[in-house]
Amino acid sequence: MAIAIEFSHIRKSYGDTVIIPDLNLQIEKGEFVTIVGSSGCGKTTALKMINGLYEPTSGDIFVNGENIKNIDMIRLRRSIGYAIQGSVLFPNMTVEENISYVPSLWNKNDKEKTKKAVDKWMEVIGLDSSMKDRYPSELSGGQQQRVGIARALAASPDILLMDEPFGAVDAITREQLQNELKSLHKKTGITILFVTHDIEEALKLGTKVLVLDKGEIEQYDKPSEIVQNPATDFVKKLVEKQRRACNLPDERLRECEYCGAYMLS
Ligand SMILES: Nc1ncnc2c1ncn2[C@@H]1O[C@H](COP(=O)(O)OP(=O)(O)OP(=O)(O)O)[C@@H](O)[C@H]1O
Ligand SMILES: [Mg+2]
């Protein structure tokens, strides 16, 4: 299986404070990796090192087999989609201009091609085309997040980094976005790294779940393994919390979508 991203002896420190001591990980192409761990454990730092926004203190990162030290930063960032929590849209550009920002750089002489790309991604992510001419300030938070995701996808990346992208939306919109992203992943087969604070979301979306604590890997496994065979006490506690989040007594755990599927299967 081809490797999309590899961390090899990655260390990241700020002054004397070590955030990530020695990260070694290979992520296969087409995997949907959800990343969970306590606040401050280094999730955002790990993502930002992949697209060169942060530089590791030492070690190497490979993207599609190429050491990113040897890749031109602009080329690297254009090939990796990046969607983060909250609005990171250009406020003075319309929805259409925001989404077409990267494709229009490539299709300078083919405006029609860019237009088609915008239509396609707006549809995929569930945005009505009537919103094209609106400015970010004229959209709801959830709509802004969709535009942010459409913009990341419009660059046709084969790797998509998402840092708590559904943080600021209500439960129903969040579920819609989760389902859209999941089916998009199935359709396109892109590699996704998705940071979340929500273990339920991590288990639902991930083909693999990466549990980090203090910059170290606690477990990197399929959701069912994470739940059935937690590798450490940290993972056990995380899963236990999820198991108990439904508040059902033991004899009724089967009625919970997650406890039932993962704890008792
Ligand atoms: N520029 C910086 N200088 C010093 N320390 C930093 C800097 N950026 C991040 N840190 C520290 O590095 C650690 C990891 O930060 P990071 O943003 O990766 O955490 P995280 O896992 O994404 O947390 P959260 O879940 O809260 O988003 C934190 O303790 C943070 O305070
Ligand atoms: Mg973070």
Side-chain angles (χ1 to χ4, degrees):
M1 195 58 185
I3 303 299
I5 296 164
E6 176 173 0
F7 290 90
S8 172
H9 295 294
I10 284 296
R11 183 180 178 84
K12 177 70 178 169
S13 45
Y14 291 107
D16 292 338
T17 314
V18 178
I19 305 299
I20 296 174
D22 183 22
L23 182 63
N24 294 285
L25 178 69
Q26 292 189 330
I27 294 170
E28 287 180 1
K29 268 191 186 158
E31 211 79 74
F32 191 148
V33 180
T34 49
I35 306 173
V36 282
S38 331
S39 184
C41 73
K43 303 180 294 295
T44 298
T45 305
L47 282 197
K48 286 188 169 175
M49 285 191 292
I50 297 171
N51 64 1
L53 289 173
Y54 289 171
E55 211 182 318
T57 306
S58 60
D60 293 288
I61 293 175
F62 300 86
V63 170
N64 297 323
E66 235 182 314
N67 192 324
I68 62 168
K69 283 177 185 158
N70 304 328
I71 306 179
D72 171 67
M73 270 306 138
I74 294 174
R75 177 162 78 87
L76 179 72
R77 284 188 202 146
R78 278 193 201 152
S79 69
I80 300 177
Y82 184 49
I84 60 172
Q85 178 173 3
S87 183
V88 284
L89 302 174
F90 303 119
N92 54 341
M93 290 187 191
T94 63
V95 166
E96 178 166 23
E97 288 163 347
N98 263 284
I99 298 176
S100 61
Y101 185 72
V102 173
S104 67
L105 297 173
W106 291 333
N107 310 329
K108 274 205 174 84
N109 303 317
D110 193 347
K111 294 215 163 70
E112 207 43 44
K113 197 169 170 190
T114 302
K115 256 192 149 73
K116 275 193 189 135
V118 172
D119 289 343
K120 176 176 123 188
W121 291 115
M122 285 188 72
E123 197 187 323
V124 167
I125 209 69
L127 278 170
D128 198 276
S129 60
S130 65
M131 289 181 186
K132 257 191 213 171
D133 297 325
R134 291 209 214 157
Y135 286 88
S137 61
E138 298 164 336
L139 301 173
S140 76
Q143 288 162 347
Q144 289 178 30
Q145 285 195 323
R146 285 171 195 241
V147 175
I149 295 166
R151 190 180 62 177
L153 290 166
S156 307
D158 55 7
I159 295 172
L160 181 59
L161 309 176
M162 308 183 88
D163 199 348
E164 301 184 51
F166 305 154
V169 297
D170 66 272
I172 293 170
T173 308
R174 190 181 177 113
E175 198 174 342
Q176 278 171 6
L177 287 172
Q178 286 174 344
N179 294 337
E180 277 155 18
L181 188 64
K182 210 172 167 150
S183 72
L184 181 115
H185 173 255
K186 276 197 190 125
K187 266 187 252 165
T188 60
I190 60 173
T191 310
I192 301 179
L193 270 69
F194 183 105
V195 172
T196 173
H197 269 111
D198 182 352
I199 180 71
E200 177 178 336
E201 183 169 71
L203 293 168
K204 173 179 172 182
L205 292 180
T207 54
K208 286 263 182 76
V209 180
L210 174 65
V211 184
L212 290 178
D213 188 33
K214 303 190 186 83
E216 292 190 89
I217 299 175
E218 295 284 313
Q219 194 165 0
Y220 179 57
D221 235 323
K222 284 190 220 149
S224 55
E225 280 298 304
I226 296 279
V227 177
Q228 284 163 19
N229 298 308
T232 64
D233 281 347
F234 184 87
V235 181
K236 211 178 263 175
K237 275 196 195 120
L238 199 71
V239 171
E240 192 70 9
K241 237 185 251 165
Q242 169 51 27
R243 173 186 155 112
R244 291 299 160 192
C246 66
N247 274 329
L248 288 170
D250 276 358
E251 62 276 15
R252 290 188 54 204
L253 280 180
R254 265 176 216 285
E255 292 167 32
C256 168
E257 188 183 345
Y258 293 96
C259 304
Y262 293 115
M263 301 305 295
L264 302 167
S265 54

